[in-house]
Amino acid sequence: MNFWRSLILLVGSGLLWSQALALEIKTWTTENGAKVMFVESHDLPMVDIRFTYKAGSARDGEQPGISRLVSALLVEGTGDLDAKQVALQFESVGAQLGHDSLRDMAWTSLRSLSDPAMLDQVVDLYARVNALPSFPPDAIERDRKSLLVSLANRKNQISNVVNDAFFAQVYAGHAYQIGQQGTEAGLKSITREDLLDFHRRYYVAANATLAMVGDLSEQQARDYAEQLTRHLQTGEAAPALAPAPQPDKAQIVRVPFKTTQSHIVQGKPVLSRIDPDYFPLYVGNHILGGSGFSSRLMQEIRENRGLSYSVYSFFVPMESNGPFEMALQTRNDQVDEAAGLLQQMLEEFIDKGPTAEELEHAKKNITGSFPLKIDSNKKIVDYLAVIGFYDLPLKYLDNFNERVMAVTREDIKDAFARRVDPLRMIRVIVGEQQTS
Amino acid sequence: MMKRFVLLLVCLSALPLQARTVETMLDNGMKIIIREDNRAPVVVSQLWYRIGSTYEYDGITGASHILEHMMFKGTETLKPGEFSEIIAANGGSDNAFTSRDYTTYFQRIAKDRLEIGLKLEADRMRNVVFQPGEFAKELAVVKEERRLRVDTNPKRQLFEQFYATAFLTSPVRIPVIGWMEDLKSMQMEDIQDWYRQWYSPNNATLVIVGDVVAEDAIALATRYFANIKPSEIEPPKRRSEIEQKGQRRLTLYGQTSNPYLIMGYKAPVLNGSADKVKDVYALAVLSGILDGGSSARISMKMLRGDEIAVEAGTSYDPFDRLAGLFLFAGTPNKDISPERLEQAFKDEITDLQKNPVSAQELQRVKAQVIASRVFDQDSMFNQGMQIGMLDSVGHDWRLIDSYVDNIKNISAEDIQRVAQTYFPDDQLTVAILLPESGDDQ
């Protein structure tokens, strides 16, 4: 039963838009300077709210792990309320509170019934959870310990080992080098004062986006937005991140690991969220390894050769240049064959580009599946958060299909040749070496 | 996994308050259930076959799942992979999943393309072509899948061993992906036989959720499925679990620095327990009392409070086809032994046996169920899942309607009673994962 959940994850990121449905995004700034993105939707009596902050691990500085620790501690108490009282106030009206952090962003979320009898019970508390966490000393120690325990076990989880090794190599010296999990030394060095400083610096209105979707009028949304942000200091937006340097040569990193199956990841830093090559690279990758079963990598490596259950490539558009990655997992004795194929298929794609048929097929899939991208409040609030966080144009979704349709084979070939140099890539192989 | 109770509440409480749902059955015995949801111009179509690992037996474990893979390998009129290509070219996405009690194929697509998926799905209900070369490659892929999900994941291995220890005669002991030894000896003929035996209209239910008019969708489905002849489906022999005679324990050493603990007590499910309906709902609420959020007992007392565990939870699924387990599981905190965590779980059980839960806790669980009922309607896919899961294990999908009321009727006394009934030591199975020596440098 657990089984299907993972399988469903395969269902890829179709991204699309039909002219029939356009999202009417309202945006404004609260009195203290937080950007608000709102979509009104009255079909269901519920509301989704999300705060995003430029407060991910890219801001950890000398204390890797601090962004994650701050995020974890938001729900551990505010004012006189302890963690249980906070949780109980949300849960007793069935509301769901969430929080997490990644490399670029930290976020909190609230899902509640829209009935003011319920919503009004949690809005101010949610605002306080964001703006006025109390950072109780016992909770700091507990969460620190818990993060250290999970960190210690990462070295036993092969998917984490390969991912951590990849970032350590590709982003050496850059803010993305260490992920939100932090380091042992970093986590141990953090004091309560450090946490307060980090929170004061980054959890501020000028560094926040507030996304709201649901059963509210615009006036209600404006009123709630003021309530939600009123405890936040105005502060300043976080400074832009420096771009990551490009590798100057190809490199293979082998990490020994006791396993029956090796993991391979290769790639380099490429794409930021606002990038003129975004659409050619996105559409091209859809063909190469981004569209599940119809992608070249899946066809050759899984369908024709049975070498891997999962094989794919993707660009992760981030605030700084996020990685291009190709990945697969295969029996130890097939590593050389599979890695060789990955490289060969990438070089061939860059050399010859997609065929006209492949491009047409990709465009049909991408544009045709657009409505599926925004068929729930949850998906819409996700998009609002991304559009707001990365300062994408409000018309991003409206223009999406048009931009996809404009991409030519030459655009793809050209963009890949300039941006995805296959001879200067980092390849990480984690497994038991059986190479001759 | 261990948050399953919460998920389940979310799953099963989602009665769209005003959604129109229409059910019909074709002459060949195929059931069709349509839920109208016009929030977006899209549709989710799911075809549910009543077949999964609990129908399998020793030697062919994993057959249902391999068959799921082979269903994408072409028919008399389609090349291998062409099914998904056609769906993709129409802006849709498709996939499938196998579980203990069902195998499900689905498409998500713009509403005006619904017919394409139905036509293709009807074709592969009977016309799949099995080719030895394709089978060999796909079997290799499934083995890689097993390595990826289980063999390189000590926690998943522990769950496999745990189920095979807790159940001796019930097929609940069989892992969905199959034992590697059985995968190694699997023959194409085994899978072909499995296909012939179970894939027929009278062993399937089509669930469609989306921006459709129910009657139109039924007409479309009828066009493609009505002419498929039914076949005789012989239900599998009853293989009930023998009565457990005493506690069972196992220890597994794996590549981990964190120990892990699983405890399971034999517990009834709604299926086949007409006399225990109230107990089943009470157990579901009990699970929510312990693990229904950050204010629940496990979070407050074991994660915070005594800091026994870094993660811990309960899981209980009242809607499985066969009787299962009420599970406790978690990762002990640093310097806490799995045995100490086990004792902490048992202390929670003892508390529930001795003292009625508070009115505030009960109210909290019920509020969560009621709200989740609304939240669930945000996803068409989940709505289809609720209907299809219930139907596939032999329930009326309208059970969703009564779920909230059944939960609301549970009292503190009911919870105390089931706590006293279902957690005796001799019905317990415990599995512990420990770090291999030298692994924890």
Side-chain angles (χ1 to χ4, degrees), chain B residues 198-210:
Chain B
W198 297 108
Y199 279 48
S200 69
N202 48 321
N203 198 40
T205 297
L206 176 67
V207 178
I208 294 173
V209 182

Side-chain angles (χ1 to χ4, degrees), chain A residues 363-383:
Chain A
K363 286 179 174 177
K364 275 191 192 165
N365 179 242
I366 295 171
T367 57
S369 65
F370 194 81
L372 295 170
K373 287 174 87 82
I374 50 163
D375 65 1
S376 69
N377 291 4
K378 168 75 171 52
K379 292 181 192 172
I380 294 170
V381 82
D382 283 347
Y383 269 108

Side-chain angles (χ1 to χ4, degrees), chain B residues 257-324:
Chain B
S257 49
N258 302 341
Y260 193 73
L261 168 79
I262 310 171
M263 295 166 55
Y265 294 89
K266 295 284 162 58
V269 291
L270 221 43
N271 225 1
S273 312
D275 53 331
K276 293 183 188 137
V277 171
K278 190 133 199 178
D279 288 9
V280 167
Y281 286 104
L283 283 167
V285 176
L286 185 152
S287 185
I289 295 288
L290 291 174
D291 187 29
S294 296
S295 64
R297 292 186 179 188
I298 286 179
S299 176
M300 287 321 305
K301 289 156 82 174
M302 294 171 63
L303 305 185
R304 300 187 172 96
D306 298 336
E307 301 184 18
I308 297 283
V310 288
E311 49 131 355
T314 62
S315 168
Y316 170 63
D317 192 341
F319 301 101
D320 278 345
R321 191 172 70 90
L322 302 175

Side-chain angles (χ1 to χ4, degrees), chain A residues 246-251 266-270 281 315 324 326 343 346-347 350-351 413-427:
Chain A
Q246 297 294 315
D248 53 8
K249 60 178 183 350
Q251 203 179 338
Q266 74 170 38
K268 67 195 281 283
V270 179
L281 292 176
F315 292 96
F324 168 71
M326 306 171 79
Q343 181 69 21
L346 175 63
E347 287 177 20
I350 291 173
D351 191 37
K413 238 182 105 172
D414 170 62
F416 268 77
R418 281 184 292 106
R419 306 293 299 278
V420 189
D421 182 348
L423 301 179
R424 289 185 178 79
M425 283 215 175
I426 311 288
R427 178 186 302 163

Side-chain angles (χ1 to χ4, degrees), chain A residues 1-12 18 20-21 41 43-48 75-76 82-85 87-88 91-96 111-113 138 141-142 145-146 149-150 152-158 257-261 263 293-294 299 301-310 329-331 334 361 364-379, chain B residues 1 4 7 10 17-18 39-43 65 68-69 73 81 84-85 87-100 102 106 108-110 134 137-138 140-141 144-145 147-149 151-152 156 176-177 255-258 292-296 300 303-305 307 310 317 331-334 360 363-364 367-368 370-372 374-375 377-381 385 389 436 439-441:
Chain A
M1 171 62 206
N2 212 11
F3 212 59
W4 64 265
R5 291 184 204 288
S6 333
L7 289 179
I8 284 171
L9 292 181
L10 286 181
V11 179
S18 87
L21 93 156
S41 167
D43 290 319
L44 296 171
M46 58 186 278
V47 180
D48 281 283
V75 298
E76 292 293 337
D82 67 15
K84 178 168 186 174
Q85 290 164 319
L88 193 59
E91 289 168 2
S92 63
V93 293
Q96 298 172 346
R111 172 170 264 200
S112 170
L113 298 177
D138 60 329
E141 291 320 310
R142 183 172 57 243
K145 198 164 153 187
S146 160
V149 169
S150 358
N153 204 34
R154 283 179 80 84
K155 69 177 192 298
N156 295 303
Q157 296 157 341
I158 190 166
F257 193 92
K258 196 180 120 192
T259 179
T260 53
Q261 185 184 56
H263 285 225
F293 283 98
S294 41
Q299 276 304 314
I301 290 171
R302 171 168 163 165
E303 299 298 286
N304 291 345
R305 308 208 189 207
L307 286 172
S308 187
Y309 169 69
S310 151
Q329 312 83 35
T330 194
R331 221 168 61 199
Q334 297 175 151
H361 190 278
K364 275 191 192 165
N365 179 242
I366 295 171
T367 57
S369 65
F370 194 81
L372 295 170
K373 287 174 87 82
I374 50 163
D375 65 1
S376 69
N377 291 4
K378 168 75 171 52
K379 292 181 192 172
Chain B
M1 168 98 184
R4 186 100 139 260
L7 288 173
V10 170
L17 302 172
Q18 65 286 30
R39 301 168 62 216
V42 301
V43 61
H65 173 246
E68 176 216 313
H69 279 236
K73 293 305 197 172
S84 300
E85 271 172 41
I87 297 296
N90 282 283
S93 61
D94 73 311
N95 212 327
F97 52 88
T98 306
S99 87
R100 290 202 176 110
Y102 38 80
F106 63 88
R108 300 166 63 243
I109 202 159
E134 292 294 335
K137 279 186 292 188
E138 209 52 34
V141 168
E144 292 295 350
E145 182 180 359
R147 287 184 192 104
L148 178 69
R149 294 183 192 282
D151 299 348
T152 57
R156 285 289 293 267
V176 173
I177 200 163
Q255 221 164 326
T256 177
S257 49
N258 302 341
S294 296
S295 64
M300 287 321 305
L303 305 185
R304 300 187 172 96
E307 301 184 18
V310 288
D317 192 341
T331 304
N333 213 330
K334 204 167 163 52
Q360 187 190 46
Q363 186 277 335
R364 185 257 304 162
Q368 288 174 308
I370 292 164
S372 296
V374 174
F375 300 158
Q377 298 166 52
D378 193 35
S379 161
M380 292 185 201
F381 195 88
M385 288 295 297
M389 282 195 291
E436 287 166 351
D439 191 66
D440 193 16
Q441 323 91 343

